[in-house]
Amino acid sequence: MTTEGQSQARPVVEIAGVSKVFDGRAQRATRVEALVGIDLSIAAGEFVSLIGPSGCGKSTLLRLIGDLTPPTSGTITVNGKPAERARRDRDYGMVFQAPILFDWRTVQGNVELPLEISGASKAQRQQRAMEHLRLVELSDFAGHYPWQLSGGMQQRVAIARALAVDPALLLMDEPFGALDEMTRERMNLELLKIWERTETTIVFVTHSIAEAVFLSTRVVVMSPRPGRISSIIDIDLPRERNVETRELEQYFHLVTAVREALRGDERSGGSPDEDGDDIAARRVAAEGLSG
Amino acid sequence: MTAAEVERPAGVRRLGKGVTRGIRAWGPPTLLLVGLLAVWEIAVRSFGIKQFILPRPLAIAETWVTYLPELYAAARYTFLEILAGLVIGATAGIVIGIVTARYRFMQDSLMPFAVAASSVPILAFAPLFNNWFGLDQQLSKAMVAAVLCFFPVMINTVRGLTNVDARALELLRSYAASEAAVFRKLRVPNSLPFVFTALRLAVTLATIGAVVGEYFAAPRSSLGQYIATYSAFLNFERSWAAIVFACIIGIGLYLIVAIAERVVMPWYDRQAEWR
């Protein structure tokens, strides 16, 4: 369960005994245990993927780390401080499934947004925005408006925006989920390049086994009802990853391992009334095969 | 990564081809207008429609030119009322809209009234406004116009400030943005299309409010009284000539709002709404 990096560096994210309950209008009947008994430690420089069927709470866990919603119990420490403090200190960048770019701002203006809010000077903002647009290879589109770009380009702008404040931690919630398979694979390669260059820590939520294995240093497999971590799989592929990585035997073994971990959940948690989750899990497995 | 990757949505404005675009945009409606006027002229002549039923466009144009000085004076008088009404109504609408959007309890208590009030025939109050603000005062007509403008502007301001993308709010939360920053960087830009929609409506409403307000009581030299008086004398060409002036004011103000919108929101493509 431990990787080399973890023993060396102080953890960037430390989750201890966290649970999250959604209380629907104070009625016991609609109470949903989104997450129970979550313990997870993420070291500096790691790339950790959260994977699992719909309803396993993987997005909720990411939102808890980002302090976008508070935990019902337990503690979340980011960069050695409570998650709320880390958010106020702007310690992380977040990329959502939708790019959420502001229509009224140019590409550069959108990347400058977090810098404006943190009070950076105009010169600083411009310099950092251009620097990060170069990183995602969109310098030529600085003056364009978001609606003039394709979906993949918009998501790259969102990544540049998240990186513009040089966050120690990058939280990504199915960032490529809305993209076609080909664009997604190219974005995966680009994200790895960015990860190498920035040496940031990444927590990545995904539905795709192939994507999780290809990108991560560790894959956290989650299962639903209640949402929990069922297993953690170390991805000991060579750190340098490229198109050929997807053809390595080791890669196939790891994909199979993750798929089996997901299937194991299906078997243990599979009461007849949970068809929806079965289907979701099978879809995840199928996605893995197609990758 | 390359320019070829850029998708150009149908709404992209191509700069530089302004003249061609201008002809394309203005040509068809201008042709249609000229055509309609010609049909009108020919129809009145060939069917022998009486002057007091429907005067010919050319006769109206002739009257318009003949009485231009007094029509202009009347139009100027009414224009001031419209403008004052617009400024008062729109400013109050935006200010109260901002306050209402800020406080949940104000939205809950005020919005139902505002929505109800905007469907009340406010013009029915015009004689009362004349009573309150002076029969032959410009202020009374300006106030009718102001009240007419107020409700749509206020309602749309509230909607524009509050109808923000929940995901964008979450994004700003992740930046630890202050309330003030959320207001400036998200709510205000988000509200602009709503506010401009209301302003387009407001210029029309203000024109109607002022002219109709004048029907009930106003000096002779005002568009409303001009139209009412010459209608009473069955001198319809002169009424029509004044109506043409009212139309010019209404359309002119509308164009000013449309241009202001382009300047303030260069990123916004209103035509996309029609597609």
Side-chain angles (χ1 to χ4, degrees):
Chain A
M1 256 184 64
T2 39
T3 61
E4 285 166 61
Q6 209 174 355
S7 52
Q8 289 159 5
R10 168 183 79 124
V12 174
V13 180
E14 185 90 77
I15 300 165
V18 160
S19 71
K20 176 70 181 177
V21 178
F22 290 111
D23 262 318
R25 304 203 172 233
Q27 274 167 13
R28 295 279 299 175
T30 54
R31 210 176 113 97
V32 176
E33 286 188 304
L35 290 168
V36 290
I38 303 289
D39 293 293
L40 183 66
S41 178
I42 298 168
E46 267 199 278
F47 194 128
V48 173
S49 286
L50 310 178
I51 194 168
S54 306
C56 72
K58 53 193 190 299
S59 286
T60 305
L61 183 55
L62 195 78
R63 289 162 48 81
L64 287 170
I65 299 170
D67 186 44
L68 295 177
T69 181
T72 308
S73 66
T75 57
I76 296 159
T77 315
V78 176
N79 266 0
K81 39 198 167 181
E84 204 223 333
R85 176 85 226 144
R87 179 175 63 84
R88 301 218 166 273
D89 289 350
R90 303 177 175 105
D91 283 354
Y92 69 83
M94 184 122 188
V95 180
F96 301 87
Q97 180 165 7
I100 322 175
L101 302 174
F102 288 2
D103 288 343
W104 49 87
R105 284 171 176 260
T106 58
V107 164
Q108 187 184 344
N110 269 289
V111 178
E112 285 185 21
L113 176 69
L115 298 161
E116 264 174 51
I117 288 167
S118 64
S121 74
K122 194 170 182 209
Q124 227 176 341
R125 289 203 309 263
Q126 279 175 352
Q127 187 241 320
R128 318 222 74 219
M130 287 317 290
E131 188 184 315
H132 286 91
L133 281 175
R134 256 198 307 282
L135 192 69
V136 296
E137 291 169 18
L138 283 176
S139 324
D140 294 344
F141 297 93
H144 283 61
Y145 282 100
W147 42 268
Q148 294 174 296
L149 307 184
S150 68
M153 293 166 91
Q154 290 186 8
Q155 200 54 286
R156 294 218 299 273
V157 176
I159 293 170
R161 180 181 60 189
L163 292 169
V165 290
D166 269 344
L169 177 63
L170 187 57
L171 303 174
M172 308 183 89
D173 190 357
E174 292 185 49
F176 311 136
L179 303 180
D180 62 83
E181 194 62 33
M182 258 129 55
T183 313
R184 176 190 271 221
E185 284 189 9
R186 207 181 59 232
M187 295 290 286
N188 283 348
L189 283 168
E190 285 182 31
L191 179 61
L192 282 178
K193 261 192 273 170
I194 290 166
W195 177 54
E196 267 155 39
R197 267 183 274 176
T198 56
E199 294 176 332
T200 182
T201 310
I202 298 180
V203 184
F204 189 94
V205 169
T206 180
H207 262 118
S208 159
I209 298 174
E211 189 174 60
V213 171
F214 182 67
L215 293 173
S216 315
T217 55
R218 272 198 298 165
V219 173
V220 175
V221 179
M222 299 180 69
S223 55
R225 290 180 208 185
R228 62 196 183 276
I229 295 175
S230 50
S231 59
I232 297 179
I233 296 166
D234 278 333
I235 304 298
D236 44 6
L237 289 170
R239 174 128 187 175
E240 193 76 29
R241 293 179 200 178
N242 46 42
V243 194
E244 282 108 67
T245 308
R246 291 188 201 272
E247 283 146 27
L248 293 175
E249 201 179 332
Q250 205 181 352
Y251 172 80
F252 287 114
H253 285 316
L254 287 162
V255 167
T256 308
V258 173
R259 188 177 303 132
E260 270 167 10
L262 282 163
R263 210 177 283 152
D265 300 337
E266 200 181 316
R267 239 180 279 129
S268 63
S271 61
D273 62 11
E274 286 184 331
D275 276 356
D277 284 322
D278 285 2
I279 290 160
R282 275 195 208 104
R283 206 183 62 218
V284 170
E287 259 174 58
L289 280 170
S290 69
Chain B
M1 264 172 283
T2 58
E5 203 180 311
V6 187
E7 289 163 18
R8 292 204 179 270
V12 180
R13 291 183 206 114
R14 280 169 207 86
L15 301 168
K17 291 190 175 175
V19 180
T20 327
R21 204 191 57 205
I23 291 169
R24 237 193 251 159
W26 293 91
T30 310
L31 274 176
L32 181 65
L33 179 69
V34 172
L36 282 174
L37 289 174
V39 170
W40 178 356
E41 180 80 29
I42 293 161
V44 171
R45 280 175 190 273
S46 48
F47 296 116
I49 296 170
K50 295 282 184 298
Q51 173 280 133
F52 61 86
I53 307 279
L54 188 66
R56 289 179 295 113
L58 281 177
I60 295 166
E62 221 178 282
T63 315
W64 199 83
V65 174
T66 311
Y67 297 101
L68 193 57
E70 61 178 75
L71 280 167
Y72 176 75
R76 221 176 78 116
Y77 182 91
T78 305
F79 178 69
L80 279 177
E81 294 170 353
I82 296 168
L83 204 62
L86 257 179
V87 170
I88 296 168
T91 309
I94 289 171
V95 169
I96 293 177
I98 290 171
V99 176
T100 307
R102 177 70 188 75
Y103 299 103
R104 185 79 227 177
F105 72 93
M106 292 227 3
Q107 275 176 58
D108 293 343
S109 55
L110 216 56
M111 280 302 269
F113 282 103
V115 173
S118 66
S119 40
V120 162
I122 291 162
L123 269 177
F125 291 91
L128 305 183
F129 276 77
N130 280 333
N131 182 35
W132 293 333
F133 297 102
L135 272 180
D136 52 1
Q137 293 294 306
Q138 277 172 304
L139 181 64
S140 56
K141 268 63 76 180
M143 288 313 285
V144 174
V147 173
L148 276 172
C149 297
F150 172 81
F151 289 104
V153 173
M154 182 227 159
I155 290 167
N156 268 29
T157 304
V158 173
R159 283 190 182 145
L161 290 172
T162 53
N163 269 10
V164 293
D165 189 343
R167 300 169 310 172
L169 281 175
E170 198 156 68
L171 180 77
L172 288 175
R173 181 180 157 85
S174 81
Y175 299 152
S178 65
E179 277 280 318
V182 173
F183 184 76
R184 276 204 325 275
K185 306 213 181 285
L186 176 61
R187 293 189 188 276
V188 169
N190 186 70
S191 74
L192 289 177
F194 290 81
V195 173
F196 273 106
T197 300
L199 288 179
R200 283 164 179 251
L201 193 60
V203 292
T204 313
L205 288 173
T207 310
I208 294 171
V211 173
V212 175
E214 286 168 350
Y215 285 171
F216 301 106
R220 292 285 300 268
S221 183
S222 66
L223 284 182
Q225 274 301 308
Y226 203 99
I227 295 165
T229 308
Y230 288 104
S231 292
F233 294 157
L234 306 184
N235 198 339
F236 291 109
E237 276 109 353
R238 291 179 80 174
S239 295
W240 274 95
I243 289 169
V244 169
F245 245 116
C247 293
I248 291 171
I249 292 173
I251 294 167
L253 286 170
Y254 187 89
L255 286 178
I256 289 169
V257 171
I259 291 164
E261 188 181 293
R262 278 280 173 107
V263 173
V264 176
M265 308 191 293
W267 45 269
Y268 192 73
D269 186 11
R270 186 169 290 277
Q271 264 135 42
E273 283 174 12
W274 301 349
R275 291 188 197 112

Short mmCIF file of all heavy atoms in Angstrom, two decimals, chain A residues 38-60:
data_model
loop_
_atom_site.label_atom_id
_atom_site.label_comp_id
_atom_site.label_asym_id
_atom_site.label_seq_id
_atom_site.Cartn_x
_atom_site.Cartn_y
_atom_site.Cartn_z
N ILE A 38 -13.36 6.32 5.78
CA ILE A 38 -12.34 6.55 4.76
C ILE A 38 -11.02 6.94 5.42
O ILE A 38 -10.97 7.92 6.18
CB ILE A 38 -12.75 7.66 3.78
CG1 ILE A 38 -14.10 7.34 3.10
CG2 ILE A 38 -11.66 7.90 2.73
CD1 ILE A 38 -14.06 6.23 2.10
N ASP A 39 -9.98 6.17 5.17
CA ASP A 39 -8.62 6.51 5.58
C ASP A 39 -7.74 6.47 4.34
O ASP A 39 -7.75 5.47 3.63
CB ASP A 39 -8.08 5.50 6.60
CG ASP A 39 -8.84 5.57 7.92
OD1 ASP A 39 -8.71 6.59 8.61
OD2 ASP A 39 -9.57 4.60 8.22
N LEU A 40 -7.05 7.55 4.08
CA LEU A 40 -6.20 7.59 2.88
C LEU A 40 -5.14 8.65 3.07
O LEU A 40 -5.41 9.74 3.57
CB LEU A 40 -7.06 7.90 1.65
CG LEU A 40 -6.36 7.91 0.29
CD1 LEU A 40 -5.87 6.52 -0.09
CD2 LEU A 40 -7.29 8.44 -0.79
N SER A 41 -3.92 8.28 2.68
CA SER A 41 -2.83 9.24 2.77
C SER A 41 -2.19 9.35 1.40
O SER A 41 -1.89 8.35 0.76
CB SER A 41 -1.81 8.74 3.81
OG SER A 41 -0.74 9.63 3.87
N ILE A 42 -2.01 10.57 0.93
CA ILE A 42 -1.45 10.78 -0.40
C ILE A 42 -0.18 11.61 -0.27
O ILE A 42 -0.20 12.71 0.30
CB ILE A 42 -2.48 11.49 -1.32
CG1 ILE A 42 -3.72 10.60 -1.49
CG2 ILE A 42 -1.85 11.82 -2.67
CD1 ILE A 42 -4.90 11.29 -2.11
N ALA A 43 0.91 11.06 -0.79
CA ALA A 43 2.20 11.73 -0.64
C ALA A 43 2.44 12.73 -1.75
O ALA A 43 1.80 12.69 -2.80
CB ALA A 43 3.31 10.68 -0.65
N ALA A 44 3.38 13.63 -1.51
CA ALA A 44 3.74 14.65 -2.49
C ALA A 44 4.20 13.98 -3.78
O ALA A 44 4.95 13.00 -3.74
CB ALA A 44 4.83 15.55 -1.94
N GLY A 45 3.73 14.49 -4.91
CA GLY A 45 4.16 13.99 -6.20
C GLY A 45 3.43 12.76 -6.67
O GLY A 45 3.68 12.27 -7.78
N GLU A 46 2.49 12.25 -5.88
CA GLU A 46 1.73 11.07 -6.31
C GLU A 46 0.66 11.45 -7.32
O GLU A 46 0.23 12.60 -7.39
CB GLU A 46 1.03 10.43 -5.09
CG GLU A 46 1.84 9.33 -4.44
CD GLU A 46 0.94 8.45 -3.58
OE1 GLU A 46 0.67 8.84 -2.43
OE2 GLU A 46 0.51 7.40 -4.07
N PHE A 47 0.23 10.45 -8.09
CA PHE A 47 -0.93 10.60 -8.97
C PHE A 47 -1.90 9.50 -8.56
O PHE A 47 -1.69 8.33 -8.85
CB PHE A 47 -0.51 10.44 -10.43
CG PHE A 47 -1.56 10.90 -11.41
CD1 PHE A 47 -1.22 11.79 -12.42
CD2 PHE A 47 -2.88 10.45 -11.33
CE1 PHE A 47 -2.17 12.22 -13.34
CE2 PHE A 47 -3.83 10.89 -12.23
CZ PHE A 47 -3.48 11.78 -13.24
N VAL A 48 -2.92 9.89 -7.79
CA VAL A 48 -3.85 8.90 -7.25
C VAL A 48 -5.19 9.01 -7.96
O VAL A 48 -5.76 10.10 -8.07
CB VAL A 48 -4.05 9.12 -5.73
CG1 VAL A 48 -5.14 8.21 -5.19
CG2 VAL A 48 -2.74 8.87 -5.00
N SER A 49 -5.67 7.87 -8.48
CA SER A 49 -6.99 7.86 -9.12
C SER A 49 -8.01 7.23 -8.19
O SER A 49 -7.71 6.24 -7.52
CB SER A 49 -6.95 7.06 -10.41
OG SER A 49 -6.28 7.79 -11.40
N LEU A 50 -9.20 7.82 -8.14
CA LEU A 50 -10.32 7.23 -7.42
C LEU A 50 -11.24 6.64 -8.47
O LEU A 50 -11.69 7.35 -9.37
CB LEU A 50 -11.05 8.28 -6.60
CG LEU A 50 -10.22 9.18 -5.68
CD1 LEU A 50 -11.12 10.21 -4.99
CD2 LEU A 50 -9.46 8.37 -4.66
N ILE A 51 -11.50 5.35 -8.37
CA ILE A 51 -12.35 4.72 -9.38
C ILE A 51 -13.41 3.89 -8.68
O ILE A 51 -13.21 3.40 -7.56
CB ILE A 51 -11.50 3.85 -10.34
CG1 ILE A 51 -12.32 3.47 -11.58
CG2 ILE A 51 -10.95 2.60 -9.65
CD1 ILE A 51 -11.48 2.88 -12.69
N GLY A 52 -14.55 3.75 -9.34
CA GLY A 52 -15.63 2.96 -8.76
C GLY A 52 -16.92 3.25 -9.50
O GLY A 52 -16.99 4.20 -10.27
N PRO A 53 -17.94 2.42 -9.28
CA PRO A 53 -19.20 2.62 -9.98
C PRO A 53 -19.93 3.87 -9.48
O PRO A 53 -19.55 4.42 -8.44
CB PRO A 53 -19.99 1.36 -9.63
CG PRO A 53 -19.40 0.87 -8.36
CD PRO A 53 -17.96 1.26 -8.39
N SER A 54 -20.95 4.28 -10.20
CA SER A 54 -21.73 5.44 -9.78
C SER A 54 -22.25 5.23 -8.37
O SER A 54 -22.63 4.12 -8.00
CB SER A 54 -22.93 5.63 -10.71
OG SER A 54 -22.49 5.68 -12.03
N GLY A 55 -22.21 6.28 -7.58
CA GLY A 55 -22.74 6.19 -6.23
C GLY A 55 -21.75 5.67 -5.22
O GLY A 55 -22.10 5.44 -4.06
N CYS A 56 -20.48 5.49 -5.61
CA CYS A 56 -19.50 4.99 -4.65
C CYS A 56 -18.88 6.13 -3.84
O CYS A 56 -18.09 5.90 -2.95
CB CYS A 56 -18.41 4.19 -5.34
SG CYS A 56 -17.28 5.22 -6.30
N GLY A 57 -19.24 7.37 -4.20
CA GLY A 57 -18.78 8.51 -3.41
C GLY A 57 -17.41 9.04 -3.80
O GLY A 57 -16.81 9.80 -3.05
N LYS A 58 -16.93 8.67 -4.99
CA LYS A 58 -15.58 9.11 -5.36
C LYS A 58 -15.53 10.63 -5.59
O LYS A 58 -14.57 11.28 -5.17
CB LYS A 58 -15.05 8.35 -6.58
CG LYS A 58 -15.95 8.35 -7.81
CD LYS A 58 -15.48 7.32 -8.81
CE LYS A 58 -16.20 7.44 -10.15
NZ LYS A 58 -17.65 7.23 -10.07
N SER A 59 -16.58 11.16 -6.23
CA SER A 59 -16.61 12.62 -6.42
C SER A 59 -16.79 13.33 -5.08
O SER A 59 -16.20 14.39 -4.85
CB SER A 59 -17.74 13.02 -7.36
OG SER A 59 -17.39 12.69 -8.68
N THR A 60 -17.61 12.73 -4.21
CA THR A 60 -17.82 13.32 -2.89
C THR A 60 -16.51 13.38 -2.13
O THR A 60 -16.19 14.40 -1.49
CB THR A 60 -18.85 12.50 -2.09
OG1 THR A 60 -20.03 12.39 -2.87
CG2 THR A 60 -19.17 13.14 -0.76
#
